[in-house]
Amino acid sequence: MFMRIDHVGIACHDLEEKIAFFERTFELTVVAREVNEEQGVKEAMLHIADGEGGGSYIQLLEPLGPDTPVGKFLAKRGEGVHHVAFGVPDVTRALQEIGGKGVRLLDEKPRHGSMGSSIAFLHPKDVGGMLTELVQAPEQRA
Ligand code: V0V
Ligand code: CO
């Protein structure tokens, strides 16, 4: 079902500061930036590697406000790993299969994600405390 770890999402207060740290310390490069109003984030993708199933990335996330998923997370837990995203060939199908096994879906249908991807989230309480994202890359990244 999973082809790769697509990205690890990290919540931070200051996106520009964290980008500079990751670039300087790990020699990573930002390949995409986006403000996603629906998800309440300003985010940047730093490329790690390319595999057969597609690329893998670190996603840095700054909240657009306190009453957003990442804003609430920062207030409650502080900066750190917010979610892990797995690449799937077909996110709609993956949602059906996973939902059928009793895991609560935070999204019934795919939403717009970074770099033109289709994304959906699973409830962290049903996945061992880990907020889990499913990512279907657009054709050109697959
Ligand atoms: C909350 N909880 C988490 C968590 N956030 N556990 C692990 N990882 C997280 N990130 C726990 C929390 O401690 C509570 O447990 C419980 O889940 C319910 O949390 P809550 O505070 O009552 O509820 P909310 O209102 O904070 O909602 C939490 C959820 C929400 C996960 C439902 O954040 C959500 O819908 N997230 C999906 C969308 C999202 O995260 N978007 C931003 C990334 P206790 O304390 O009761 O034990 S956007 C993105 O990745 C994009 C665009 C992309 O990849 O392209
Ligand atoms: Co993400």
Side-chain angles (χ1 to χ4, degrees), residues 27 62 73 99 102 107:
E27 297 173 5
E62 180 188 310
F73 179 92
D107 300 295

Side-chain angles (χ1 to χ4, degrees), residues 23-100:
E23 287 185 331
R24 189 173 68 234
T25 310
F26 304 125
E27 297 173 5
L28 298 175
T29 305
V30 173
V31 290
R33 287 169 182 262
E34 189 171 324
V35 173
N36 187 324
E37 298 277 351
E38 185 183 34
Q39 298 292 339
V41 293
K42 186 162 85 168
E43 53 94 0
M45 297 293 265
L46 294 96
H47 180 252
I48 305 279
D50 285 313
E52 275 181 35
S56 63
Y57 306 85
I58 291 286
Q59 181 175 52
L60 299 177
L61 303 153
E62 180 188 310
L64 294 179
D67 199 20
T68 60
V70 175
K72 287 190 202 169
F73 179 92
L74 281 173
K76 209 166 170 180
R77 302 189 182 201
E79 293 187 321
V81 174
H82 178 259
H83 64 269
V84 175
F86 296 98
V88 295
D90 181 336
V91 71
T92 304
R93 208 172 130 189
L95 279 175
Q96 280 170 359
E97 288 178 14
I98 295 165

Side-chain angles (χ1 to χ4, degrees), residues 63-136:
L64 294 179
D67 199 20
T68 60
V70 175
K72 287 190 202 169
F73 179 92
L74 281 173
K76 209 166 170 180
R77 302 189 182 201
E79 293 187 321
V81 174
H82 178 259
H83 64 269
V84 175
F86 296 98
V88 295
D90 181 336
V91 71
T92 304
R93 208 172 130 189
L95 279 175
Q96 280 170 359
E97 288 178 14
I98 295 165
K101 294 177 186 173
V103 173
R104 276 171 289 169
L105 310 177
L106 295 171
D107 300 295
E108 293 293 335
K109 58 178 177 50
R111 299 181 188 279
H112 167 77
S114 187
M115 302 191 290
S117 61
S118 297
I119 63 171
F121 287 89
L122 311 177
H123 202 290
K125 289 287 171 192
D126 292 350
V127 192
M130 175 178 79
L131 176 58
T132 304
E133 178 184 342
L134 308 175
V135 181
Q136 179 183 343

